[in-house]
Amino acid sequence: MTDRVLYDLLADRRVAVFGGGAPVLPELGRLLAAGALITAVAPEVCPAVEALAAAGRLDLRSGRWREDDLDGVWYAFAGTADPVDDAAIAEAAERRRVFCRVLRGAPAPAAERSTSDGGVALVGAGPGDPDLITVRGRALLAAADVVVVDRLAPLELLADLRPGVEVVDAAKIPHGRAAAQGELNRLLVEHARAGRSVVRLKGGDPYVFGRGFEEVLACAEAGVPVTVVPGVSSALAVPALAGVPVTHRGMTHELTVVSGHLPPTHPDSLVDWAALARLRGTVVVLMGVTHLAGIAEALVGGGRDPSTPALAVQDGGTPAQRVLRSTLAALAGDCSAHGIRPPAVFVVGEVAGLARTAGAGGG
């Protein structure tokens, strides 16, 4: 049975993945792409797996594996990083006539993988749909020795990595566990200097609130060559996928994309919210879930009409996408009532009140 046939058979079937570290991420990518119903079982999981569970894209059972985890399962993957446990899982699966694969060994040494001098490609993966990565980005992934991936990058893109590729989880969960930027920079440089072809896979576009240029500077200072591949920014794509244009002829001739990761009153905030409030065009807010009430208050306090149409899109470009229409004054309360959580994109402006015609594209 070929891999393609196997994964095609797993659509809407229950599968179990044992292990929650970065090495299981490519397998999770294959299973997500197949549309399988995934349960991950592990005492601890990396942030990317935690984020998938929070988004409802897989079920998570914390703890050591048990044989009854295989009940009703069509396929199992043993990737606990403990050879004894993995062998026991495979034996238990065989007893139950469940097809099981075992994660095999560590990534191959650099000399056996890359024929290049080593370097880093900073690749924007787009807003969530794996099909929205650029052709150039997909080609670099296909040739990678090491992939350092963020939680907002679609894990389905890891499904076609070459055997032996090392995957590093660089997930940053808002107000949760996060990989320190300095450590990520060090890893990029270390792998590239070892002669490996490294892809730094980031959600959206690396240069739109993605800290991409910090990583470019770190590599440049270390003498490591860097290729930058722009991605489709969530600031533009997510509203479009929700059926809303960020500009529209005769309605708005300006667009402002702003970070909401700090409250408007924070002394380190570089955003002039009063000036934004005086503009008449569209405001797109990224990373603003936590401080949404303060952002709305600042815009209304600065003169923006409280009845201005507003839109929230959670998990844009993924099967879990949710769209909430509101007004500027009511947006924070409505998002709280409906449980809107990161990642979410907010659109404020007359375009947020536009409705798609029947048959138009979008989510």
Side-chain angles (χ1 to χ4, degrees), residues 178-228:
Q181 189 65 51
E183 175 64 11
L184 295 181
N185 295 346
R186 185 194 66 77
L187 284 173
L188 297 177
V189 170
E190 180 181 281
H191 283 297
R193 281 179 169 172
R196 298 168 187 139
S197 176
V198 183
V199 169
R200 176 70 168 103
L201 190 64
K202 304 173 77 73
D205 181 274
Y207 280 3
V208 180
F209 304 129
R211 302 185 71 171
F213 199 61
E214 295 179 40
E215 294 168 2
V216 169
L217 289 175
C219 290
E221 290 172 359
V224 170
V226 182
T227 298
V228 178

Side-chain angles (χ1 to χ4, degrees), residues 4 20 49 77 83 101 149 177 196 248 250 293 308-309 344 358:
R4 187 178 189 87
V49 176
F77 183 80
R101 280 185 166 168
V149 60
R177 295 182 297 166
R196 298 168 187 139
H248 186 58
T308 300

Side-chain angles (χ1 to χ4, degrees), residues 5 22 48 75 120 167 216 243 264 281 288 329 342:
V5 171
Y75 169 81
V120 173
V167 176
V216 169

